[in-house]
Amino acid sequence: MMRLRWPLKIRPLIVWGILISAGLSQAQIWQSYTNVNPIRALLAQGQKLWCATEGGVLLFSTVDTTALKVYTNIDGLPSTDISCVAQDGRGRLYFGTLGSGLALLDSAGSRFTWINSRDHNIISDSITAVLCQGDYVFLGSPGGISFYNGQNWRTFSSRVCSLGTSVRALAYGRDTLWIG
């Protein structure tokens, strides 16, 4: 049996060619197919309807009743398991996830920022409720409430504040934060 030996100059070229072709194959556009039928929360925004689902965020047209876009982890969501949605006064959207914290979509609808318990002072990465009131953001979770005042996150544990076992709903009215 004869063994084929490549000259030393050809070996790096072959390795380089393999790396380039692998890089080009990764430049393909990926698609994610998830189930957006179970809708957990809705937010009306003009002629658009934002839907929080277990398969990501569905953007729906109320004019012609068609799906405009489905946002998934490929689009920048930290998870497709979305539980709640709210909009602040600057047009930014907040999506709570069950296990990956909060996803903040900029007002242009093009970039997500992740907010989680490791990098920010939020009580849990399982967000069950989100409420925006002016520049303030309130998050409900199994462990309590997190509150953003425009600069910092603060946390109130359900053990300390007698909030019950899990915060599932938030509302604001008559200068009072209502917790359910």
Side-chain angles (χ1 to χ4, degrees):
M1 178 150 93
M2 179 182 225
R3 184 171 178 203
L4 182 62
R5 296 216 11 111
W6 293 92
L8 289 178
K9 292 180 181 179
I10 295 177
R11 286 184 201 164
L13 290 177
I14 291 173
V15 171
W16 186 75
I18 292 170
L19 291 175
I20 292 296
S21 65
L24 291 175
S25 67
Q26 291 178 356
Q28 297 174 359
I29 297 174
W30 286 86
Q31 290 185 340
S32 179
Y33 298 97
T34 59
N35 184 1
V36 293
N37 285 331
I39 295 174
R40 295 177 171 155
L42 299 170
L43 175 72
Q45 184 189 53
Q47 296 178 340
K48 299 176 188 173
L49 188 63
W50 294 90
C51 309
T53 78
E54 65 184 36
V57 175
L58 170 65
L59 178 56
F60 188 79
S61 169
T62 60
V63 175
D64 57 6
T65 63
T66 59
L68 299 174
K69 180 163 179 60
V70 175
Y71 293 87
T72 66
N73 52 339
I74 292 173
D75 301 298
L77 282 173
S79 166
T80 58
D81 201 3
I82 309 298
S83 59
C84 50
V85 57
Q87 182 179 12
D88 70 9
R90 297 193 294 192
R92 298 178 301 181
L93 297 171
Y94 295 80
F95 298 97
T97 70
L98 296 177
S100 297
L102 188 68
L104 170 60
L105 183 61
D106 64 14
S107 57
S110 60
R111 184 171 174 259
F112 284 99
T113 302
W114 298 359
I115 298 167
N116 58 38
S117 61
R118 187 185 69 228
D119 300 329
H120 299 84
N121 188 30
I122 64 173
I123 196 162
S124 173
D125 286 331
S126 289
I127 309 298
T128 52
V130 60
L131 171 70
C132 297
Q133 181 64 34
D135 289 334
Y136 302 121
V137 180
F138 300 91
L139 303 178
S141 70
I145 292 177
S146 293
F147 164 72
Y148 184 69
N149 64 7
Q151 295 179 1
N152 301 309
W153 286 96
R154 296 199 58 209
T155 295
F156 303 96
S157 170
S158 58
R159 289 174 289 172
V160 175
C161 301
S162 301
L163 297 172
T165 58
S166 182
V167 176
R168 298 192 180 269
L170 297 168
Y172 186 85
R174 297 176 44 137
D175 294 328
T176 302
L177 176 65
W178 297 92
I179 302 167

